[in-house]
Amino acid sequence: EGPAPWPLAGKIITRFGLERHRQFKTIVMNNGIEIAPAAETSLIRAIHAGKVVFADSFQGYGNLVIIDHGMNYYTLYGHCADFLVAMGDFVREEQPVASVGDTGSLKGRSLYLEIRYRTKPLDPLQWLRKR
């Protein structure tokens, strides 16, 4: 196993966990992270092998790909522009699954990445390779 590869080269613009909204002074819970792509980057890659169980538009996530990695682990890739996989497809680690977009995003072109164990969101930075 070991640390997973990054799904997209870029800069983290939203971190996992509780975040204070600067403008509204409210506290929100982020179940994942958002990554703004490096200029030349457009492909989102699976961080682990698995089966695509969802590839469609989903409220609040925009175009969303969900991969089931087995043992109740899932990754969610949101704000996608175009899908490169379909429901039922098996993907390998680092296989492109979508192109980065801004569907459902409040922060422009970015990838929303969530890792779940059953229904519990986990901090993706604990799973991704250190950079």
Side-chain angles (χ1 to χ4, degrees):
E1 297 296 311
W6 283 73
L8 181 73
K11 178 173 166 253
I12 296 170
I13 54 174
T14 303
R15 293 191 170 272
F16 178 85
L18 296 175
E19 176 187 45
R20 178 177 290 280
H21 193 287
R22 281 192 199 89
Q23 188 182 347
F24 301 114
K25 306 287 187 251
T26 54
I27 294 183
V28 291
M29 175 62 190
N30 297 320
N31 288 330
I33 61 173
E34 283 177 298
I35 304 168
E40 70 287 351
T41 309
S42 65
L43 291 180
I44 298 165
R45 299 173 184 277
I47 66 167
H48 195 72
K51 183 181 182 182
V52 177
V53 292
F54 189 88
D56 206 341
S57 175
F58 194 83
Q59 176 98 34
Y61 292 86
N63 290 335
L64 175 67
V65 174
I66 302 177
I67 300 173
D68 179 348
H69 303 287
M71 299 179 49
N72 296 305
Y73 284 94
Y74 300 86
T75 48
L76 290 71
Y77 307 82
H79 308 328
C80 302
D82 299 303
F83 298 117
L84 303 174
V85 293
M87 219 167 107
D89 287 357
F90 285 93
V91 296
R92 63 190 183 281
E93 186 174 299
E94 298 197 62
Q95 178 177 331
V97 295
S99 58
V100 70
D102 61 6
T103 61
S105 170
L106 301 174
K107 301 193 178 175
R109 206 163 152 261
S110 62
L111 165 65
Y112 175 77
L113 174 68
E114 203 173 294
I115 299 178
R116 287 184 173 255
Y117 174 67
R118 295 197 168 101
T119 58
K120 178 183 168 24
L122 306 171
D123 184 352
L125 295 181
Q126 304 293 318
W127 296 81
L128 299 175
R129 286 186 189 128
K130 300 280 181 259
R131 309 193 284 188

